[in-house]
Amino acid sequence: MGALPRGDDPPIPPGPPGGGALGPVVALGAHILDVLGRPVAEIPPGQGSVRLAEIRATAAGTAAGTAVDLAKLGAQVLAIGALGDDLIADMVISAMARHGVDTSGLVRKPGVQTSATILPIRANGERPALHVPGATPLLELTDIDTDRVRASRALLIGAPDALGPLAAGGLAEVAAAARQAGALVVIDVLHPGRPQDLERLGGLLAVADWFAPNAEQLLALTGRDDLPTAIADVQALGTGGVAVTLGAGGCLVAWPGGGSPLALPALPVAVVDTTGCGDGFTAGLLAGLLLGADPDEAAWLGMACGSLVATGLGSDAGIESLGQVLEFLGRAQPEVAGRLTALASR
């Protein structure tokens, strides 16, 4: 189905011929360095120390983490966001470039550090976070190459709630220009937020094809106690589809003409770390839509990607390629995986 038809909106431009390539995608928003260690049972008192099995540093955040996953799935990804002028920025750029992401859209802001998070990962995969917001909120409208945004097949805006004045000062216009040019627009958020944040993001969500929060975020943003009503609130703003991740509970997906929200179960895996599972889901959902899949099939691809991310440490774990993800999905949903494989082979 791809982009949801709304009025006279143009279709998603076709991707490059051959190999099922997803084509050019822009990932705009939060670019964060995660430093993760596991397993952490407790923080030792005083100057005590413990030995860990693994420590990693990854490019993360709802833009950077999803960008890396999309690149693994076959997209040509341009990253747009604000970094500091520091060593952490060098590490974020290097980590993304290793996966083939074009980092030329990342701008450095002097006198401020790059956004970063320390994550002590518990043995069950849970992850308390120690975070510095850093440069992320300093992205400005003049930092965004709108020509390249309009030339993309999809625009992912990750963490508009963390982008400071830009969220209410031009970001919706960038998204609207992308949609007018035929791009699929997908929104994800970083924080749980409040209803005031939903009001601030209303203009952006009004031009979005898809909104992909987790359940905690959606309920906090809408002030609702149940997900179907919260989903309806977002769609009333003008958003086409809403895909809500539920952790081990799977996801809920709703789209125009699709009836009541569809519940999909999680795919069982041995969980190492849940960091970046939502970003993996968003990447898979977006990849499926760009392949031309129906929303339920695209959501299954998202579930497969999110589940695979949980099998390793950090937001760049688990996913190797589109073919590998489809093979994994095929063990649980062979018919869906077969249809997605056929679409990817066109």
Side-chain angles (χ1 to χ4, degrees), residues 185-210:
V185 177
V186 179
I187 309 296
D188 192 6
V189 288
L190 185 63
H191 306 299
R194 305 164 298 167
Q196 298 95 309
D197 296 312
L198 183 64
E199 181 178 351
R200 183 167 61 98
L201 298 175
L204 178 61
L205 290 170
V207 296
D209 291 287
W210 283 88

Side-chain angles (χ1 to χ4, degrees), residues 4-328:
L4 300 171
R6 292 155 57 186
D8 297 323
D9 294 338
I12 302 173
L22 303 179
V25 174
V26 171
L28 184 158
H31 290 73
I32 300 168
L33 183 75
D34 276 0
V35 179
L36 313 97
R38 63 170 290 269
V40 178
E42 61 181 356
I43 305 298
Q47 299 188 61
S49 65
V50 294
R51 291 191 177 186
L52 303 181
E54 188 177 9
I55 294 176
R56 296 192 67 229
T58 68
T62 45
T66 310
V68 167
D69 291 337
L70 282 165
K72 290 182 178 184
L73 294 173
Q76 302 153 22
V77 186
L78 169 68
I80 296 178
L83 306 175
D85 190 16
D86 56 8
L87 178 60
I88 297 178
D90 296 342
M91 295 172 71
V92 170
I93 290 171
S94 176
M96 298 186 76
R98 287 184 66 183
H99 295 290
V101 176
D102 181 350
T103 61
S104 62
L106 298 175
V107 296
R108 295 186 184 242
K109 302 292 181 176
V112 61
Q113 81 153 79
T114 299
S115 303
T117 306
I118 296 174
L119 293 152
I121 308 301
R122 299 187 177 114
N124 64 358
E126 293 179 346
R127 59 193 201 289
L130 309 172
H131 180 64
V132 175
T136 292
L138 301 182
L139 185 69
E140 300 175 84
L141 191 59
T142 54
D143 296 326
I144 300 172
D145 187 336
T146 54
D147 288 338
R148 296 188 72 180
V149 171
R150 284 192 293 265
S152 66
R153 295 190 71 221
L155 169 63
L156 166 73
I157 300 179
D161 51 319
L163 291 182
L166 180 62
L171 194 55
E173 287 75 13
V174 172
R179 287 201 74 244
Q180 187 175 13
L184 182 72
V185 177
V186 179
I187 309 296
D188 192 6
V189 288
L190 185 63
H191 306 299
R194 305 164 298 167
Q196 298 95 309
D197 296 312
L198 183 64
E199 181 178 351
R200 183 167 61 98
L201 298 175
L204 178 61
L205 290 170
V207 296
D209 291 287
W210 283 88
F211 182 42
N214 64 39
E216 178 186 3
Q217 291 167 333
L218 182 60
L219 294 177
L221 285 167
T222 59
R224 299 291 191 175
D225 295 323
D226 67 285
L227 289 171
T229 304
I231 289 171
D233 286 347
V234 173
Q235 289 185 304
L237 296 173
T239 306
V242 180
V244 187
T245 53
L246 310 173
C251 71
L252 278 179
V253 189
W255 65 94
S260 300
L262 174 67
L264 301 182
L267 299 175
V269 292
V271 175
V272 172
D273 170 28
T274 57
T275 303
C277 291
D279 301 335
F281 174 85
T282 302
L285 174 74
L286 179 50
L289 294 170
L290 289 176
L291 289 173
D294 289 335
D296 57 333
E297 296 172 339
W300 273 118
L301 186 59
M303 290 299 302
C305 288
S307 297
L308 283 169
V309 170
T311 63
L313 183 61
S315 59
D316 65 353
I319 298 172
E320 298 173 6
S321 67
L322 179 59
Q324 171 245 2
V325 175
L326 290 172
E327 181 181 356
F328 170 72

